[in-house]
Amino acid sequence: MKHTEKPKVLIMIFGATGDLANRKLFPSLYQLYEKNQLSEHFVVIGVARRALTNEQFQEKVKKSIGNANGKNSKLDEFTSHFYYHSHDVSDSNSYMVLNDLANGFDQQYGTEGNRLFYLAMAPEFFGTIAVHLKQDGLTDVKGFKRLIIEKPFGRDLDSAKELNQQIRTAFDEEDIYRIDHYLGKEMVQNIEVIRFANAIFEPLWNNRYISNIQITSSEVLGVEERGRYYETSGALRDMVQNHILQIVALLAMEPPIKLEPREIRSEKVKVLRALRPIQGNKVHKYFIRGQYGAGKINGEAIPAYRNEPMVDPNSNTETFVAGRLLIDNFRWAGVPFYIRTGKRMRTKSTKIVIQFKDIPMNLYYNAEQQLNPNLLVIHVQPEEGITLHLNAKKTGQGINATPVKLSYANSGINGYNTPESYERLLYDCMHGDATNFTHWDEVALSWNFVDNISHVWESSIAHFPNYESGTVGPKESDILLAKDGYYWWPISELEVESNCN
Ligand code: NAD
């Protein structure tokens, strides 16, 4: 969607002294301001528990931007739009004071009654805040009122439904922007363009030509100081329910009739509805869980997950998931989508590999070398780009084939730095573009799929730890593909840069 006018908006950030606000939200808003994508008609009220003056808050905002961007040409001007309100989330009086403050700023900054409420707080507060916003009159405005809500959206379908009911008492579905920051990533947004703006891929994008699809999102970091949260979540809820299933939906959906949020969502929903449920004893067959043990990464000794702060020493929580998904529709019948995600892995990398079927007859086969299948690799992070793996003639005598890679890397274009996910998503929300946010129907279907797996896992004790830090996860994850005659393409073979080899 193209956005022409600069938004006029009052933004309330609940949890303004927290990590997310400091690391992501303030720097992203500043980027928009520097690029002249925010008008002077914007104002931010930071809301949190701690007592701070406006000046102290502005200093914190400046500091967070300095840390993130290392530049500050418009910082004073920018932070003059920031104010602070010390708040108790369950006290109606506090919301009324906040509302008076907001009404005053509305006049002062000409924000025309447009309000964006960003809940950058622990999820247990989401429902309470949404209900108070309505009850205490903060949503009673003549402009737009939008709610941005962070993950996790519930911890299973039942809790997600309850949360949804609470926030729906105050906001219509079309005004709820559920963040999945993967949907703000350049190359995730590029999936649609690669598929629908090129004549060469879409005709092949089906079970006749694709043998399997592999999605890997691996982290080198461990659980760090998020042990308390992670113990209630695990990799399945933290990564698969949202980011990974969203990527699956984008890869597998039918072309929408228009590039409009409603049309795109409706196609994604159809994919999630077609996901074959994995239940009962099938869970152990098609889904692998892992937990990292001690190990070494870059020469540094790494403790086991069970020895991390705020983690149960007998924890049954998974830090790794691999799975085999099937989509029961005409396009995808019989094509496995393999997914894997884990912490404390060898490399930080998010990649999608589309593996095409072998050609019907290999004329170039010789005893030394079999032809490699064609691959389309989408590099999501840290590198951004695409690589097409082909076979071409080996230079010199004879007609032997050799693999070549055609690569396109974003980082190669004049040092172009793609915007942060949060920058894009905040900008979209201010313009009322919900394309890259998750609709309730998608949330519900994803939980439905994931709940079947977590029920089985929660009722059986795993043999953890079962992978060493700094590796590619438990060996069962390799066996999962080997049973179908495939293997995970090693990340090191999928480099984005080289043009030929
Ligand atoms: P945090 O603990 O760093 O910050 C929490 C904020 O909430 C603080 O500003 C605190 O003052 C405020 N708060 C807590 N209790 C309050 C109360 N009773 N009344 C008023 N204010 C109160 O948390 P965070 O890491 O910034 O995460 C916020 C949300 O964003 C969570 O839902 C988290 O899951 C999500 N999230 C965070 C990140 C990240 O990188 N930090 C990434 C993805 C999602």
Side-chain angles (χ1 to χ4, degrees), residues 15-20 23 48-49 87 89 120-121 123 125 150-152:
T17 55
D19 178 65
L20 182 77
R23 279 194 313 114
R49 206 166 23 179
H87 183 66
V89 283
M121 290 189 50
F125 298 119
E150 266 297 337
K151 79 166 194 182

Side-chain angles (χ1 to χ4, degrees), residues 31-42:
Q31 286 293 329
L32 291 172
Y33 189 72
E34 264 227 324
K35 291 178 188 164
N36 207 17
Q37 290 173 329
L38 278 183
S39 70
E40 290 304 321
H41 302 285
F42 90 95

Side-chain angles (χ1 to χ4, degrees), residues 12-24:
M12 283 187 200
I13 301 180
F14 290 81
T17 55
D19 178 65
L20 182 77
N22 276 294
R23 279 194 313 114
K24 302 289 184 189

Side-chain angles (χ1 to χ4, degrees), residues 14-24 47-50 84 86-90 118-126 129 150-152 179 181 226 229 243 422:
F14 290 81
T17 55
D19 178 65
L20 182 77
N22 276 294
R23 279 194 313 114
K24 302 289 184 189
V47 180
R49 206 166 23 179
R50 203 179 305 172
Y84 184 79
S86 165
H87 183 66
D88 176 346
V89 283
S90 46
Y118 198 123
L119 306 193
M121 290 189 50
E124 66 255 35
F125 298 119
F126 293 167
I129 297 174
E150 266 297 337
K151 79 166 194 182
I179 287 254
H181 70 271
R226 291 170 71 220
Y229 157 72
H243 312 316
Y422 278 93

